[in-house]
Amino acid sequence: MTILVTGAAGFIGMHVAEALLGAGRRVVGIDNMNDYYEVGLKEARLARLTDYENFTFHKVDIADRAAFAAALEVYTDITEVVHLAAQAGVRHSLTHPFDYADANVTGFLTILEYCRSLRKLDHLVYASSSSVYGANNELPYSVSQATDRPVSLYAATKKANELMAYSYAHLYGLPLTGLRFFTVYGPWGRPDMAYWLFTDKIVKGEPVQIYNHGDMMRDFTYIDDVVSGVLSVLAHPPVETAAGPAHRVYNIGNNKPEKLLDFVAVIEKSLGLEAQRELLPMQPGDVKETFADIDPIRRDVGYEPVTSLKEGLPKFVEWYQDYSKD
């Protein structure tokens, strides 16, 4: 059977699609290739996927219902969907709010309606975010905690996705699972993320902007561990029970928060260079610390992250140096 992967030219999307293709699955990829960050990076990721004979790609905006339907109408054997397409970035949502309404709300509704139209849906796995925990100060973040205090529009749209998915699971019996990703990093990552920005500035000898004067911690999660989690979840669709519909939400994190300044130190060591540190106040929409409770996903699907920051960050730095040469 064919699997649909949205956001296939994105960071997580490319890695998930490649893992599925390598396992012999037929994958249809969707991405609008927008210019939120350099399109050339997305094209390079996509080039890796197009080397596989069992991959087909369509450049489509999921908020464009007509174009989405036209692109997928020829595929009659799609039974699984991994929905990773979204407008990402907390800070970008402060200045471009309608991008988030279009991609993350209208676009997600397009995906839900598509899944409802399928003759048989085995599972929809969709991307949520650790940002939904917002102003919650209870650590570690657990899926049983309230998530009704978002501190950014991006977070609000991701919480909206979870509520929308719950309603579709309840109304139509669709098996749906949301994944709250915690600061994913690694090769082929996003240029707007701290690990890329810090590495780039250190190499160029420019000041590294460190917010909240460095008093921050993040549950950094290596991309290979994330892919392992996504595929394990995909293979275990939820079922309706007396407690509720076939909808689940899990954290995907490393279950080990790291100090931001230690994070910078690992990059410095990997590069053999010292950063010029510019300590700044907290940014609007940001949170001081993230820490994922992964007991539910560990219990239900056997998810177990294995990559430490000291192992994963040097792999990103090595990839960054090779990619920057081109």
Side-chain angles (χ1 to χ4, degrees):
M1 293 295 181
T2 300
I3 182 166
L4 171 65
V5 177
T6 72
F11 173 34
I12 301 176
M14 183 212 78
H15 283 280
V16 168
E18 191 167 39
L20 290 165
L21 292 164
R25 296 294 302 272
R26 184 184 178 202
V27 175
V28 175
I30 294 279
D31 202 294
N32 68 354
M33 306 295 285
N34 70 21
D35 61 357
Y36 168 60
Y37 57 81
E38 60 172 292
V39 176
L41 174 59
K42 298 180 181 183
E43 292 172 340
R45 293 184 189 129
L46 191 58
R48 290 174 62 90
L49 301 180
T50 53
D51 285 341
Y52 291 86
E53 292 183 357
N54 47 332
F55 179 72
T56 307
F57 177 72
H58 296 274
K59 182 180 178 181
V60 172
D61 186 339
I62 58 171
D64 186 337
R65 287 178 288 166
F68 181 87
L72 293 179
E73 63 182 355
V74 299
Y75 303 101
T76 59
D77 62 341
I78 291 176
T79 59
E80 294 175 301
V81 178
V82 179
H83 174 52
L84 300 168
Q87 179 57 61
V90 169
R91 291 168 191 149
H92 187 72
S93 70
L94 301 175
T95 55
H96 297 77
F98 288 101
D99 291 354
Y100 293 78
D102 293 341
N104 299 2
V105 180
T106 300
F108 189 56
L109 183 57
T110 300
I111 299 301
L112 289 174
E113 279 294 297
Y114 172 73
C115 288
R116 186 162 77 94
S117 74
L118 295 175
R119 287 182 294 179
K120 183 176 186 292
L121 175 71
D122 289 333
H123 201 182
L124 162 64
V125 176
Y126 66 92
S128 186
S129 168
S130 62
S131 67
V132 301
Y133 290 105
N136 177 23
N137 294 317
E138 184 181 352
L139 296 172
Y141 290 162
S142 167
V143 293
S144 64
Q145 294 168 358
T147 51
D148 55 359
R149 294 184 293 164
V151 296
S152 70
L153 178 64
Y154 170 67
T157 63
K158 285 301 182 178
K159 179 60 181 178
N161 287 173
E162 295 179 6
L163 297 173
M164 293 163 71
Y166 183 94
S167 70
Y168 268 65
H170 170 75
L171 290 169
Y172 308 115
L174 302 179
L176 313 175
T177 302
L179 300 177
R180 295 173 178 172
F181 295 119
F182 280 70
T183 317
V184 185
Y185 73 98
W188 295 99
R190 279 175 30 208
D192 63 318
M193 296 294 286
Y195 57 89
W196 185 307
L197 292 170
F198 289 178
T199 302
D200 192 57
K201 287 181 179 293
I202 293 171
V203 167
K204 294 176 179 176
E206 299 174 357
V208 171
Q209 296 178 327
I210 301 174
Y211 294 101
N212 203 39
H213 305 283
D215 185 18
M216 299 178 75
M217 298 185 75
R218 287 290 181 271
D219 199 334
F220 297 103
T221 318
Y222 190 64
I223 184 62
D224 289 0
D225 292 330
V226 168
V227 172
S228 173
V230 171
L231 297 189
S232 295
V233 168
L234 183 65
H236 293 82
V239 295
E240 184 175 355
T241 67
H247 178 253
R248 300 290 181 271
V249 175
Y250 294 117
N251 291 331
I252 287 195
N254 200 44
N255 196 223
K256 184 184 178 183
E258 304 275 359
K259 294 179 180 178
L260 185 59
L261 293 179
D262 290 346
F263 171 79
V264 176
V266 175
I267 297 176
E268 289 175 316
K269 183 177 180 180
S270 301
L271 289 170
L273 298 170
E274 187 173 343
Q276 300 177 41
R277 305 183 183 198
E278 182 181 0
L279 303 181
L280 299 170
M282 181 75 88
Q283 282 277 93
D286 223 340
V287 295
K288 181 179 177 181
E289 184 173 357
T290 64
F291 180 5
D293 171 12
I294 61 171
D295 284 347
I297 190 173
R298 178 185 278 146
R299 177 195 65 225
D300 292 351
V301 306
Y303 170 70
E304 195 65 55
V306 297
T307 311
S308 70
L309 196 66
K310 291 181 179 179
E311 295 172 307
L313 262 184
K315 293 179 181 179
F316 165 75
V317 170
E318 181 181 7
W319 171 85
Y320 166 88
Q321 291 172 319
D322 288 340
Y323 180 77
S324 299
K325 292 176 184 176
D326 298 336

